Amino acid sequence: MLAVLGLLALLGYSLVRKEGGFAGIGVNATGQEGRVRPGPAPDFTLQLFDGGAFRLSEHRGKVVVVNYWASWCPPCRDEARALERVWQRYRDGGVVLVGVNIWDSERDAGAFLRQYRVSYPNGPDPQGHAAIEYGVTGIPETFFIRPDGTIARHWLGPLTDAQLAAFIEEARR
């Protein structure tokens, strides 16, 4: 009986390590294209950590970059500074960046935002409604939304400054 339990535990451990998390929740460590659904990007509203609110539909006419992240995610940490630099570069040029914190505690998310000096809007998705609407399967995942409200690109994994800038410019066209 102990041998069977040991084998089951080993199998479970190897599946979790292979998938990057429990129950299909994973970390996107390498960058790749995600699926883009036709039609408008699903609207969502976030209560921001700073007390404000963000509603996607209020930003029509601008490029919107939606980044799903968590404080415990190493690739999210890798891209945090790039996201902030790109926000500083594009924020006065018709581009909005919003972070959607998922699968995390508010305390840990706040510590992450302070550590990486994140100044763009961020809020939790505690029930996962926005993540479900967008089909998020791992983190980080980033969506680039055109001014007309359609999704131009869906990226799985961390992004560099150059990739962020190129995908923003692509969404502007």
Side-chain angles (χ1 to χ4, degrees):
M1 182 66 145
L2 285 176
V4 170
L5 287 176
L7 286 173
L8 287 175
L10 184 60
L11 176 64
Y13 174 77
S14 67
L15 286 174
V16 167
R17 299 254 317 148
K18 180 179 178 187
E19 295 300 319
F22 292 96
I25 298 172
V27 174
N28 293 320
T30 59
Q32 62 184 341
E33 282 293 318
R35 196 176 63 175
V36 175
R37 295 190 304 198
D43 194 19
F44 64 90
T45 300
L46 287 179
Q47 296 306 308
L48 301 174
F49 289 118
D50 70 5
F54 176 92
R55 184 175 178 104
L56 177 64
S57 59
E58 292 176 356
H59 298 280
R60 266 299 155 87
K62 298 179 181 178
V63 170
V64 180
V65 179
V66 181
N67 177 259
Y68 288 86
W69 65 278
S71 65
W72 50 263
C73 161
C76 299
R77 291 178 177 278
D78 291 344
E79 78 174 354
R81 288 187 175 91
L83 288 164
E84 180 61 27
R85 283 190 297 269
V86 167
W87 166 242
Q88 293 300 324
R89 177 177 168 193
Y90 283 96
R91 67 195 248 173
D92 295 327
V95 175
V96 175
L97 175 59
V98 64
V100 183
N101 178 250
I102 57 176
W103 311 320
D104 209 350
S105 73
E106 191 168 328
R107 182 180 59 84
D108 290 344
F112 178 98
L113 295 172
R114 286 187 299 279
Q115 178 181 355
Y116 291 98
R117 296 187 172 120
V118 173
S119 65
Y120 54 88
N122 268 274
D125 184 22
Q127 268 45 70
H129 294 149
I132 290 167
E133 283 295 317
Y134 279 76
V136 172
T137 59
I139 49 174
E141 283 192 34
T142 307
F143 294 82
F144 296 83
I145 302 171
R146 295 180 189 96
D148 69 0
T150 59
I151 298 173
R153 184 177 293 267
H154 172 201
W155 191 259
L156 308 170
L159 289 154
T160 65
D161 295 65
Q163 288 172 310
L164 284 160
F167 297 159
I168 287 169
E169 294 302 329
E170 174 188 295
R172 283 183 163 168
R173 291 182 233 137

